[in-house]
Amino acid sequence: MSIAVERIEANQVVLSFTASKAEVARAHEDAYKKIVSKVKINGFRQGKAPRNIVERQVGKEAIRQEAFDLFANKAYGEALKANELTPISDPEVMDMNFEEGQDASFKIKVTVKPEAVLGEYKGIVMKKDEAKLEDGAVENAIADLQKSHSTMEVVAEGEAAQKSDVVMIDFAGSIDGVPFDGGEGKSYPLELGSNSFIPGFEDQLIGVKAGEERVVKVQFPADYGMETLAGKDAEFKVTAHEIKRRQTPELNDEFAKTVKFDSVEALKESTQKRLLDAAQEQAENKYREAIIKKVVDEAKVEIPTILIDEKVDNIVAEMAFGIEQRGLKIEQYLQFMGQTMEEFKASRRETAEEQVKTELVLDTICKLEKIELTNEELGAEIVRLAQMHGATPKQVQDVLKEQGTFGVLIGNVLRRKAASLVIDSAKAE
């Protein structure tokens, strides 16, 4: 058997195969043995029927196709390995000639993962920011802590709603007197000033009292995701049932003790250290990301559309999983955001392309630097995933096998090693 490799546009490769008559004959014999072991033919024990009887039973074409599949699958795998090609699309067979008694030839076209043309990736010089806290950072963090320990209490009867109050409302929207989908809600807790509703809606409820009914008039933004509502004037009949106001604890030693500190001073010192540690980590991450971005930006690679599409689908799947953990479906989330799935995917496409390019660049560095993964490193990564998800290493391995994602895991770890090589060789200004 001989193999010729021709690279054509858009990261496509055509593999041309030729085989001798003897190789074709062996493939047909292997196909006959495989088929005869599976078919049941009257008068013969399983697997013992002569070939001519089997051909009459299943047809010569079935044996020929099986022979080709056996030969082509093996030849295709050998060609990919010998030429270090990674397919990212299903192979397409072309110009097949595989008749018994003749020399054979066929071609397989496939899109392969491209390699990046790299610029400098070692010894990168990059500015590293000094970790520091902005004025008021500690005070703001403690204020947030106080807010997280606050309680929501119902206001006195007859008291009007203020900004930041939570009003429990029923609402029913209409356009020109006609109700529209998604315009009705019951017992909805709306925080005034949160800007979670259409612009102008919440402002018109400031001053409302429990039990009061109001008519709120708004205009949907011109760029609203649902075309049937974009730019339309709408009217909402709103009934306020209950008003709650946040009661924030005072900052004193008693409050400090409720959050496990002896005094306000100890709380402030701990908060300052925590924020400074976070700022240092953020500066380090920013420095590392800037190094990798510089290497990626200076590399050149033609990215197949199929990889970008796949990455977009992965982003959507991850987001859908996170949303479902909060009790929503992604379709509901997109409706709230006024987006269609197509618009959402389009908005993630640029991010997906950047991620794919980064992966391809790091994959190329792995190849050039001959970076490999040891069994110990793979085991440590499985343990890390198990701890992250509250599972056992065995459970993680079972999921990886079931989903066929061991290769994805290995690729991710190898890319991290490549990124560490680049970062460790860099120099901070």
Side-chain angles (χ1 to χ4, degrees):
M1 179 184 68
S2 66
I3 305 169
V5 181
E6 178 189 1
R7 289 186 175 271
I8 57 178
E9 62 181 357
N11 300 298
Q12 288 189 325
V13 170
V14 173
L15 304 169
S16 299
F17 301 86
T18 59
S20 66
K21 288 188 290 186
E23 289 173 312
V24 175
R26 281 197 297 272
H28 277 76
E29 185 64 19
D30 290 341
Y32 152 68
K33 290 177 180 178
K34 182 177 179 180
I35 291 174
V36 75
S37 68
K38 295 180 179 180
V39 299
K40 184 175 181 180
I41 299 177
N42 293 333
F44 297 93
R45 285 184 297 160
Q46 189 84 24
K48 298 299 182 180
R51 180 172 168 180
N52 63 324
I53 301 296
V54 175
E55 286 179 350
R56 285 205 297 269
Q57 177 87 358
V58 302
K60 286 187 176 182
E61 177 58 26
I63 293 180
R64 186 182 78 90
Q65 186 61 51
E66 184 66 34
F68 174 75
D69 291 344
L70 291 172
F71 186 88
N73 288 339
K74 182 180 178 182
Y76 177 60
E78 291 175 356
L80 294 177
K81 184 176 180 180
N83 293 279
E84 297 183 329
L85 302 173
T86 303
I88 57 174
S89 70
D90 293 331
E92 177 187 350
V93 177
M94 306 184 302
D95 304 333
M96 183 185 74
N97 175 29
F98 205 79
E99 299 293 337
E100 196 169 13
Q102 303 176 18
D103 292 338
S105 64
F106 59 94
K107 296 178 179 180
I108 294 179
K109 183 170 73 173
V110 65
T111 302
V112 297
K113 185 169 73 174
E115 288 186 14
V117 178
L118 302 177
E120 293 294 328
Y121 65 92
K122 290 182 179 179
I124 299 294
V125 178
M126 183 60 60
K127 180 180 178 181
K128 190 172 185 178
D129 294 338
E130 180 182 355
K132 58 183 180 180
L133 300 182
E134 295 183 0
D135 293 341
V138 174
E139 290 75 12
N140 291 337
I142 292 177
D144 288 340
L145 182 62
Q146 289 174 266
K147 185 177 179 180
S148 70
H149 284 74
S150 63
T151 58
M152 299 298 294
E153 297 183 8
V154 178
V155 302
E157 186 178 353
E159 190 167 350
Q162 303 173 5
K163 192 172 183 180
S164 298
D165 286 351
V166 173
V167 184
M168 192 72 70
I169 62 171
D170 294 344
F171 60 91
S174 61
I175 295 176
D176 295 331
V178 180
F180 56 87
D181 290 340
E184 184 176 2
K186 298 286 187 181
S187 299
Y188 186 93
L190 177 62
E191 181 179 348
L192 304 185
S194 64
N195 298 318
S196 55
F197 269 33
I198 304 163
F201 189 102
E202 295 166 26
D203 294 340
Q204 295 178 57
L205 291 180
I206 291 177
V208 73
K209 298 177 181 179
E212 183 180 343
E213 294 182 358
R214 281 194 181 183
V215 175
V216 173
K217 297 182 179 181
V218 294
Q219 183 181 59
F220 282 93
D223 59 352
Y224 194 70
M226 297 179 67
E227 293 183 7
T228 54
L229 301 178
K232 297 289 182 65
D233 292 323
E235 185 175 283
F236 287 85
K237 292 182 179 179
V238 180
T239 301
H241 293 295
E242 185 180 64
I243 301 169
K244 290 184 177 181
R245 186 164 297 154
R246 191 180 303 279
Q247 301 297 321
T248 304
E250 291 184 21
L251 180 59
N252 50 33
D253 289 347
E254 184 179 349
F255 170 73
K257 289 175 182 177
T258 65
V259 290
K260 311 301 183 185
F261 291 95
D262 293 335
S263 64
V264 171
E265 192 60 34
L267 171 59
K268 289 181 178 179
E269 289 177 3
S270 176
T271 302
Q272 183 174 31
K273 182 181 183 304
R274 174 175 59 82
L275 293 179
L276 189 56
D277 288 345
Q280 289 171 337
E281 183 178 359
Q282 184 179 19
E284 181 66 25
N285 289 339
K286 183 179 177 182
Y287 168 70
R288 295 167 67 90
E289 290 169 3
I291 293 168
I292 298 301
K293 187 175 188 306
K294 181 175 175 63
V295 172
V296 172
D297 287 346
E298 292 184 357
K300 296 180 179 178
V301 60
E302 187 176 358
I303 305 176
T305 302
I306 188 174
L307 287 182
I308 301 174
D309 292 341
E310 185 179 274
K311 182 63 69 175
V312 169
D313 289 340
N314 289 342
I315 291 173
V316 171
E318 289 176 6
M319 187 164 185
F321 177 78
I323 290 170
E324 287 173 4
Q325 295 296 99
R326 300 197 295 270
L328 280 178
K329 295 291 185 182
I330 191 168
E331 292 79 12
Q332 292 173 302
Y333 171 80
L334 292 177
Q335 185 176 6
F336 294 153
M337 296 297 292
Q339 275 189 316
T340 65
M341 179 60 78
E342 291 71 23
E343 290 170 339
F344 178 73
K345 285 186 173 183
S347 71
R348 296 298 188 270
R349 198 159 187 82
E350 184 176 345
T351 299
E353 186 170 353
E354 290 174 359
Q355 290 180 2
V356 171
K357 185 178 180 182
T358 300
E359 291 175 359
L360 293 174
V361 168
L362 292 175
D363 287 344
T364 302
I365 293 174
C366 283
K367 184 175 180 180
L368 292 175
E369 296 291 334
K370 296 181 172 57
I371 296 174
E372 296 180 346
L373 186 65
T374 65
N375 290 333
E376 290 76 14
E377 289 169 330
L378 179 59
E381 179 65 10
I382 290 174
V383 170
R384 187 185 72 83
L385 290 174
Q387 292 173 343
M388 181 188 303
H389 297 286
T392 66
K394 176 65 166 56
Q395 289 172 326
V396 172
Q397 290 183 26
D398 290 343
V399 170
L400 291 171
K401 288 178 182 178
E402 181 183 345
Q403 297 179 347
T405 52
F406 253 113
V408 175
L409 175 66
I410 291 171
N412 289 339
V413 179
L414 287 172
R415 291 183 193 114
R416 287 209 300 268
K417 293 184 70 173
S420 294
L421 181 149
V422 172
I423 294 165
D424 291 344
S425 73
K427 301 173 183 177
E429 285 186 350

PDB file of all heavy atoms in Angstrom, residues 340-359:
ATOM      1  N   THR A 340     -32.484  35.906  21.001  1.00  0.00           N
ATOM      2  CA  THR A 340     -32.726  34.583  20.444  1.00  0.00           C
ATOM      3  C   THR A 340     -31.448  33.764  20.613  1.00  0.00           C
ATOM      4  O   THR A 340     -30.374  34.303  20.880  1.00  0.00           O
ATOM      5  CB  THR A 340     -33.078  34.667  18.957  1.00  0.00           C
ATOM      6  OG1 THR A 340     -31.935  35.179  18.234  1.00  0.00           O
ATOM      7  CG2 THR A 340     -34.274  35.578  18.721  1.00  0.00           C
ATOM      8  N   MET A 341     -31.556  32.448  20.451  1.00  0.00           N
ATOM      9  CA  MET A 341     -30.380  31.592  20.559  1.00  0.00           C
ATOM     10  C   MET A 341     -29.349  31.953  19.490  1.00  0.00           C
ATOM     11  O   MET A 341     -28.134  31.961  19.744  1.00  0.00           O
ATOM     12  CB  MET A 341     -30.784  30.118  20.417  1.00  0.00           C
ATOM     13  CG  MET A 341     -29.606  29.149  20.483  1.00  0.00           C
ATOM     14  SD  MET A 341     -28.674  29.233  22.044  1.00  0.00           S
ATOM     15  CE  MET A 341     -29.774  28.299  23.118  1.00  0.00           C
ATOM     16  N   GLU A 342     -29.818  32.284  18.285  1.00  0.00           N
ATOM     17  CA  GLU A 342     -28.904  32.666  17.208  1.00  0.00           C
ATOM     18  C   GLU A 342     -28.141  33.938  17.562  1.00  0.00           C
ATOM     19  O   GLU A 342     -26.925  34.040  17.331  1.00  0.00           O
ATOM     20  CB  GLU A 342     -29.674  32.865  15.893  1.00  0.00           C
ATOM     21  CG  GLU A 342     -30.240  31.586  15.272  1.00  0.00           C
ATOM     22  CD  GLU A 342     -31.399  31.010  16.066  1.00  0.00           C
ATOM     23  OE1 GLU A 342     -32.059  31.765  16.811  1.00  0.00           O
ATOM     24  OE2 GLU A 342     -31.629  29.779  15.955  1.00  0.00           O
ATOM     25  N   GLU A 343     -28.841  34.918  18.157  1.00  0.00           N
ATOM     26  CA  GLU A 343     -28.183  36.159  18.565  1.00  0.00           C
ATOM     27  C   GLU A 343     -27.189  35.902  19.695  1.00  0.00           C
ATOM     28  O   GLU A 343     -26.091  36.482  19.716  1.00  0.00           O
ATOM     29  CB  GLU A 343     -29.233  37.183  19.004  1.00  0.00           C
ATOM     30  CG  GLU A 343     -30.078  37.734  17.866  1.00  0.00           C
ATOM     31  CD  GLU A 343     -31.267  38.545  18.358  1.00  0.00           C
ATOM     32  OE1 GLU A 343     -31.683  38.362  19.519  1.00  0.00           O
ATOM     33  OE2 GLU A 343     -31.785  39.351  17.575  1.00  0.00           O
ATOM     34  N   PHE A 344     -27.577  35.031  20.617  1.00  0.00           N
ATOM     35  CA  PHE A 344     -26.680  34.716  21.722  1.00  0.00           C
ATOM     36  C   PHE A 344     -25.403  34.043  21.211  1.00  0.00           C
ATOM     37  O   PHE A 344     -24.290  34.387  21.631  1.00  0.00           O
ATOM     38  CB  PHE A 344     -27.391  33.805  22.719  1.00  0.00           C
ATOM     39  CG  PHE A 344     -26.532  33.382  23.866  1.00  0.00           C
ATOM     40  CD1 PHE A 344     -26.193  34.283  24.868  1.00  0.00           C
ATOM     41  CD2 PHE A 344     -26.046  32.088  23.951  1.00  0.00           C
ATOM     42  CE1 PHE A 344     -25.395  33.903  25.931  1.00  0.00           C
ATOM     43  CE2 PHE A 344     -25.245  31.702  25.003  1.00  0.00           C
ATOM     44  CZ  PHE A 344     -24.922  32.604  26.002  1.00  0.00           C
ATOM     45  N   LYS A 345     -25.556  33.086  20.299  1.00  0.00           N
ATOM     46  CA  LYS A 345     -24.380  32.414  19.738  1.00  0.00           C
ATOM     47  C   LYS A 345     -23.488  33.396  18.988  1.00  0.00           C
ATOM     48  O   LYS A 345     -22.254  33.335  19.082  1.00  0.00           O
ATOM     49  CB  LYS A 345     -24.817  31.275  18.813  1.00  0.00           C
ATOM     50  CG  LYS A 345     -25.335  30.046  19.537  1.00  0.00           C
ATOM     51  CD  LYS A 345     -25.598  28.910  18.558  1.00  0.00           C
ATOM     52  CE  LYS A 345     -25.964  27.622  19.284  1.00  0.00           C
ATOM     53  NZ  LYS A 345     -26.163  26.488  18.349  1.00  0.00           N
ATOM     54  N   ALA A 346     -24.108  34.287  18.239  1.00  0.00           N
ATOM     55  CA  ALA A 346     -23.336  35.281  17.488  1.00  0.00           C
ATOM     56  C   ALA A 346     -22.536  36.172  18.432  1.00  0.00           C
ATOM     57  O   ALA A 346     -21.390  36.548  18.138  1.00  0.00           O
ATOM     58  CB  ALA A 346     -24.264  36.118  16.618  1.00  0.00           C
ATOM     59  N   SER A 347     -23.120  36.494  19.593  1.00  0.00           N
ATOM     60  CA  SER A 347     -22.434  37.366  20.556  1.00  0.00           C
ATOM     61  C   SER A 347     -21.246  36.668  21.202  1.00  0.00           C
ATOM     62  O   SER A 347     -20.361  37.329  21.754  1.00  0.00           O
ATOM     63  CB  SER A 347     -23.413  37.820  21.645  1.00  0.00           C
ATOM     64  OG  SER A 347     -23.762  36.751  22.503  1.00  0.00           O
ATOM     65  N   ARG A 348     -21.203  35.340  21.159  1.00  0.00           N
ATOM     66  CA  ARG A 348     -20.104  34.584  21.770  1.00  0.00           C
ATOM     67  C   ARG A 348     -19.057  34.138  20.741  1.00  0.00           C
ATOM     68  O   ARG A 348     -18.072  33.513  21.102  1.00  0.00           O
ATOM     69  CB  ARG A 348     -20.658  33.338  22.496  1.00  0.00           C
ATOM     70  CG  ARG A 348     -21.574  33.648  23.661  1.00  0.00           C
ATOM     71  CD  ARG A 348     -20.834  34.428  24.738  1.00  0.00           C
ATOM     72  NE  ARG A 348     -21.617  34.586  25.948  1.00  0.00           N
ATOM     73  CZ  ARG A 348     -22.437  35.588  26.189  1.00  0.00           C
ATOM     74  NH1 ARG A 348     -22.612  36.534  25.270  1.00  0.00           N
ATOM     75  NH2 ARG A 348     -23.086  35.681  27.335  1.00  0.00           N
ATOM     76  N   ARG A 349     -19.283  34.467  19.488  1.00  0.00           N
ATOM     77  CA  ARG A 349     -18.423  33.926  18.433  1.00  0.00           C
ATOM     78  C   ARG A 349     -16.993  34.474  18.504  1.00  0.00           C
ATOM     79  O   ARG A 349     -16.032  33.732  18.308  1.00  0.00           O
ATOM     80  CB  ARG A 349     -19.045  34.222  17.063  1.00  0.00           C
ATOM     81  CG  ARG A 349     -18.466  33.337  15.972  1.00  0.00           C
ATOM     82  CD  ARG A 349     -19.378  33.248  14.767  1.00  0.00           C
ATOM     83  NE  ARG A 349     -18.864  32.275  13.829  1.00  0.00           N
ATOM     84  CZ  ARG A 349     -19.055  30.973  13.919  1.00  0.00           C
ATOM     85  NH1 ARG A 349     -19.787  30.499  14.906  1.00  0.00           N
ATOM     86  NH2 ARG A 349     -18.525  30.147  13.038  1.00  0.00           N
ATOM     87  N   GLU A 350     -16.863  35.766  18.784  1.00  0.00           N
ATOM     88  CA  GLU A 350     -15.522  36.355  18.859  1.00  0.00           C
ATOM     89  C   GLU A 350     -14.727  35.736  20.012  1.00  0.00           C
ATOM     90  O   GLU A 350     -13.541  35.417  19.860  1.00  0.00           O
ATOM     91  CB  GLU A 350     -15.625  37.868  19.043  1.00  0.00           C
ATOM     92  CG  GLU A 350     -14.271  38.568  19.025  1.00  0.00           C
ATOM     93  CD  GLU A 350     -14.400  40.076  19.109  1.00  0.00           C
ATOM     94  OE1 GLU A 350     -15.513  40.608  18.894  1.00  0.00           O
ATOM     95  OE2 GLU A 350     -13.381  40.738  19.403  1.00  0.00           O
ATOM     96  N   THR A 351     -15.384  35.564  21.147  1.00  0.00           N
ATOM     97  CA  THR A 351     -14.731  34.922  22.293  1.00  0.00           C
ATOM     98  C   THR A 351     -14.316  33.500  21.948  1.00  0.00           C
ATOM     99  O   THR A 351     -13.208  33.067  22.293  1.00  0.00           O
ATOM    100  CB  THR A 351     -15.681  34.899  23.506  1.00  0.00           C
ATOM    101  OG1 THR A 351     -16.005  36.236  23.867  1.00  0.00           O
ATOM    102  CG2 THR A 351     -15.049  34.184  24.684  1.00  0.00           C
ATOM    103  N   ALA A 352     -15.195  32.781  21.257  1.00  0.00           N
ATOM    104  CA  ALA A 352     -14.890  31.401  20.871  1.00  0.00           C
ATOM    105  C   ALA A 352     -13.671  31.354  19.957  1.00  0.00           C
ATOM    106  O   ALA A 352     -12.794  30.491  20.107  1.00  0.00           O
ATOM    107  CB  ALA A 352     -16.098  30.775  20.177  1.00  0.00           C
ATOM    108  N   GLU A 353     -13.603  32.273  19.009  1.00  0.00           N
ATOM    109  CA  GLU A 353     -12.472  32.291  18.082  1.00  0.00           C
ATOM    110  C   GLU A 353     -11.159  32.554  18.819  1.00  0.00           C
ATOM    111  O   GLU A 353     -10.130  31.935  18.535  1.00  0.00           O
ATOM    112  CB  GLU A 353     -12.692  33.360  17.010  1.00  0.00           C
ATOM    113  CG  GLU A 353     -11.639  33.347  15.917  1.00  0.00           C
ATOM    114  CD  GLU A 353     -11.989  34.240  14.751  1.00  0.00           C
ATOM    115  OE1 GLU A 353     -13.111  34.780  14.727  1.00  0.00           O
ATOM    116  OE2 GLU A 353     -11.148  34.389  13.843  1.00  0.00           O
ATOM    117  N   GLU A 354     -11.177  33.472  19.794  1.00  0.00           N
ATOM    118  CA  GLU A 354      -9.975  33.760  20.581  1.00  0.00           C
ATOM    119  C   GLU A 354      -9.544  32.528  21.379  1.00  0.00           C
ATOM    120  O   GLU A 354      -8.346  32.220  21.469  1.00  0.00           O
ATOM    121  CB  GLU A 354     -10.248  34.931  21.531  1.00  0.00           C
ATOM    122  CG  GLU A 354     -10.414  36.271  20.826  1.00  0.00           C
ATOM    123  CD  GLU A 354     -10.827  37.382  21.784  1.00  0.00           C
ATOM    124  OE1 GLU A 354     -10.997  37.089  22.986  1.00  0.00           O
ATOM    125  OE2 GLU A 354     -10.979  38.522  21.326  1.00  0.00           O
ATOM    126  N   GLN A 355     -10.519  31.826  21.948  1.00  0.00           N
ATOM    127  CA  GLN A 355     -10.194  30.633  22.726  1.00  0.00           C
ATOM    128  C   GLN A 355      -9.594  29.544  21.839  1.00  0.00           C
ATOM    129  O   GLN A 355      -8.620  28.890  22.223  1.00  0.00           O
ATOM    130  CB  GLN A 355     -11.448  30.113  23.436  1.00  0.00           C
ATOM    131  CG  GLN A 355     -11.934  31.010  24.561  1.00  0.00           C
ATOM    132  CD  GLN A 355     -13.181  30.476  25.238  1.00  0.00           C
ATOM    133  OE1 GLN A 355     -13.680  29.395  24.899  1.00  0.00           O
ATOM    134  NE2 GLN A 355     -13.717  31.221  26.191  1.00  0.00           N
ATOM    135  N   VAL A 356     -10.169  29.347  20.654  1.00  0.00           N
ATOM    136  CA  VAL A 356      -9.654  28.329  19.743  1.00  0.00           C
ATOM    137  C   VAL A 356      -8.234  28.677  19.306  1.00  0.00           C
ATOM    138  O   VAL A 356      -7.351  27.810  19.277  1.00  0.00           O
ATOM    139  CB  VAL A 356     -10.574  28.177  18.513  1.00  0.00           C
ATOM    140  CG1 VAL A 356      -9.926  27.270  17.468  1.00  0.00           C
ATOM    141  CG2 VAL A 356     -11.923  27.613  18.912  1.00  0.00           C
ATOM    142  N   LYS A 357      -7.987  29.934  18.976  1.00  0.00           N
ATOM    143  CA  LYS A 357      -6.638  30.326  18.555  1.00  0.00           C
ATOM    144  C   LYS A 357      -5.633  30.079  19.670  1.00  0.00           C
ATOM    145  O   LYS A 357      -4.525  29.577  19.426  1.00  0.00           O
ATOM    146  CB  LYS A 357      -6.608  31.791  18.130  1.00  0.00           C
ATOM    147  CG  LYS A 357      -5.237  32.202  17.570  1.00  0.00           C
ATOM    148  CD  LYS A 357      -5.213  33.644  17.101  1.00  0.00           C
ATOM    149  CE  LYS A 357      -3.825  33.983  16.545  1.00  0.00           C
ATOM    150  NZ  LYS A 357      -3.730  35.401  16.123  1.00  0.00           N
ATOM    151  N   THR A 358      -6.003  30.427  20.904  1.00  0.00           N
ATOM    152  CA  THR A 358      -5.114  30.195  22.035  1.00  0.00           C
ATOM    153  C   THR A 358      -4.794  28.711  22.169  1.00  0.00           C
ATOM    154  O   THR A 358      -3.629  28.327  22.378  1.00  0.00           O
ATOM    155  CB  THR A 358      -5.753  30.713  23.335  1.00  0.00           C
ATOM    156  OG1 THR A 358      -5.999  32.118  23.207  1.00  0.00           O
ATOM    157  CG2 THR A 358      -4.843  30.473  24.534  1.00  0.00           C
ATOM    158  N   GLU A 359      -5.803  27.864  22.040  1.00  0.00           N
ATOM    159  CA  GLU A 359      -5.587  26.419  22.143  1.00  0.00           C
ATOM    160  C   GLU A 359      -4.653  25.916  21.041  1.00  0.00           C
ATOM    161  O   GLU A 359      -3.753  25.104  21.288  1.00  0.00           O
ATOM    162  CB  GLU A 359      -6.928  25.682  22.077  1.00  0.00           C
ATOM    163  CG  GLU A 359      -7.797  25.902  23.306  1.00  0.00           C
ATOM    164  CD  GLU A 359      -9.165  25.262  23.186  1.00  0.00           C
ATOM    165  OE1 GLU A 359      -9.438  24.651  22.113  1.00  0.00           O
ATOM    166  OE2 GLU A 359      -9.964  25.356  24.134  1.00  0.00           O
TER     167      GLU A 359
END
